[in-house]
Amino acid sequence: MIKKSLLFLSAISLFATNIQTIIKKEFDSHVLPQIINDLNNSDEAIIILRVYKSNKSVTLKTYKVAQTFAKSELFETKGDYNLGFKYYKKYILQSSKIKVSDFIKIIEAKTSNDLNRLFANNAQKLIEVLKKEKQFIAIKGIEKIIKKGKLNDLKAFLQGVLAGKIPASCG
């Protein structure tokens, strides 16, 4: 009996995982390109309606999309300020001795939009700016952070610094 129930539970979880991947593929291949096409062809907004149906009720949720977005921005995770500080300190501050306030001046970031532009496409613009300023040790640190997959955390840390949240050991 226990073996049958374990087999049944594993089949259900496998089936649920397959449904998620099917829905994600369907969204990526059909729905998202249509939304981007519609937004590029007009100045209007698109409303996405999600319907959740259960035995007792029906729930409706609406999402208004007013501008074009990239697929990576749609599923992007938010970074953590503290983890970003840890990785900045470990890979950039210790090796290149660039304080975070000086780093912000080097990359010429004044707003969050500047940081978004620099961190787009896996921080390619940021690396170009650092090459232009001949900060090769900092580039190696950024590349290590990218390999670890902690670029969003570094971005969150730098956004916090722009907002005035500068750590004492890094200022």
Side-chain angles (χ1 to χ4, degrees), residues 102-116:
D102 295 333
F103 187 77
I104 293 291
K105 290 176 187 173
I106 288 170
I107 64 174
E108 299 173 355
K110 293 177 178 57
T111 64
S112 291
N113 289 335
D114 294 339
L115 283 177
N116 290 337

Side-chain angles (χ1 to χ4, degrees), residues 71-119:
K71 187 175 7 175
S72 62
E73 292 173 358
L74 183 65
F75 300 110
E76 185 175 294
T77 58
K78 296 290 181 190
D80 182 15
Y81 174 87
N82 293 325
L83 280 176
F85 169 65
K86 173 187 163 186
Y87 284 102
Y88 180 84
K89 187 175 176 183
K90 183 175 182 178
Y91 293 112
I92 298 173
L93 181 66
Q94 287 180 355
S95 59
S96 66
K97 307 293 187 228
I98 300 174
K99 294 183 178 181
V100 71
S101 54
D102 295 333
F103 187 77
I104 293 291
K105 290 176 187 173
I106 288 170
I107 64 174
E108 299 173 355
K110 293 177 178 57
T111 64
S112 291
N113 289 335
D114 294 339
L115 283 177
N116 290 337
R117 181 182 50 80
L118 290 169
F119 279 81

Side-chain angles (χ1 to χ4, degrees), residues 29-47:
S29 63
H30 296 294
V31 178
L32 187 61
Q34 185 63 41
I35 290 172
I36 292 172
N37 187 29
D38 291 346
L39 287 173
N40 286 336
N41 292 335
S42 68
D43 293 332
E44 299 174 359
I46 292 178
I47 296 177

